[in-house]
Amino acid sequence: HTGSVSTLSGQGIRTIYPRPALVKLVPRSGATVSAMAEVEGLTQAEAKELKDAFSLFDKDGNGTIDVKELGPVMRALGQNPTQREIDDLMKKADVDASGSLGYDEYVQVINSFALTPNDVEIQLRQAFLVFDRDKSGTLNLSELREVLCGMGEPLTEDEATYVLKKIDKNNDGMVDAEEFVQFLCKIV
């Protein structure tokens, strides 16, 4: 993939894959999912998810997102903007000055909040430091098992053991920051 897209997933918008550059030419809201995937460099499933998210935020179903609908988009992206910030973003993103965002303008807003590969790596390294309670520079299997089985959507013991084997590339029973980041970057 050559770009990244954030799409609606559960309570918020998630980044599908790291982004150097997303959309140069984005089809209008009437474009087919196949055309969107082809132009945007997405899989058809990713393009459909992005389009579905747009439709979800387009509360009145008119094919655009107005300033009232932009606030929920921003909150789904993890932002907590003031009304002034929403108004400023609308002015900046509304390139055709229609007073609302069409699908192409919406994609540009989503893209502007997507993480770069470097941002993802930095965040993963910061997470590693939090999990490395003894500050040894490695996670022993019990530290990693605690993270996998106790945070977010917990894994079973068997699932955690499987993941641990996949992460620990040098089979030393420890996971260093590099192994941690490389494994999780493959997933993203």
Side-chain angles (χ1 to χ4, degrees):
H1 293 285
T2 59
S4 92
V5 172
S6 295
T7 61
L8 192 64
S9 175
Q11 296 295 332
I13 292 183
R14 66 179 172 84
T15 299
I16 293 176
Y17 52 92
R19 109 189 183 192
L22 173 61
V23 182
K24 303 253 185 311
L25 297 170
V26 180
R28 296 285 173 188
S29 57
T32 66
V33 171
S34 295
M36 290 180 348
E38 186 176 308
V39 171
E40 296 174 31
L42 306 175
T43 67
Q44 285 198 10
E46 291 165 344
K48 182 177 181 337
E49 193 173 355
L50 186 61
K51 181 70 173 157
D52 289 348
F54 177 81
S55 297
L56 180 68
F57 290 119
D58 178 17
K59 296 287 186 200
D60 58 12
N62 68 353
T64 63
I65 293 176
D66 63 28
V67 72
K68 294 179 300 214
E69 296 164 328
L70 186 55
V73 171
M74 299 308 299
R75 285 185 279 288
L77 288 166
Q79 305 299 306
N80 190 20
T82 64
Q83 188 58 49
R84 182 180 182 148
E85 290 168 330
I86 293 170
D87 292 340
D88 289 346
L89 178 60
M90 177 61 83
K91 286 177 190 163
K92 181 180 173 185
D94 183 18
V95 294
D96 64 2
S98 65
S100 60
L101 303 180
Y103 178 77
D104 52 345
E105 295 162 323
Y106 159 82
V107 170
Q108 294 301 326
V109 168
I110 298 298
N111 189 42
S112 71
F113 286 92
L115 297 174
T116 66
N118 190 51
D119 293 337
V120 171
E121 186 173 325
I122 289 168
Q123 288 186 0
L124 290 173
R125 288 185 187 284
Q126 289 171 339
F128 179 87
L129 294 174
V130 170
F131 302 143
D132 182 17
R133 297 180 202 274
D134 63 3
K135 305 303 177 211
S136 64
T138 60
L139 298 178
N140 63 41
L141 297 183
S142 66
E143 287 174 312
L144 193 53
R145 188 177 303 281
E146 183 181 323
V147 170
L148 294 174
C149 294
M151 297 184 75
E153 195 171 316
L155 301 180
T156 66
E157 287 293 320
D158 288 343
E159 291 169 331
T161 299
Y162 176 79
V163 169
L164 294 171
K165 288 178 183 175
K166 291 289 186 185
I167 295 175
D168 185 15
K169 290 294 185 190
N170 62 6
N171 297 315
D172 64 355
M174 306 291 274
V175 175
D176 62 34
E178 203 56 41
E179 289 171 318
F180 183 81
V181 169
Q182 284 180 3
F183 177 79
L184 291 174
C185 281
K186 279 193 249 177
I187 294 172
V188 175

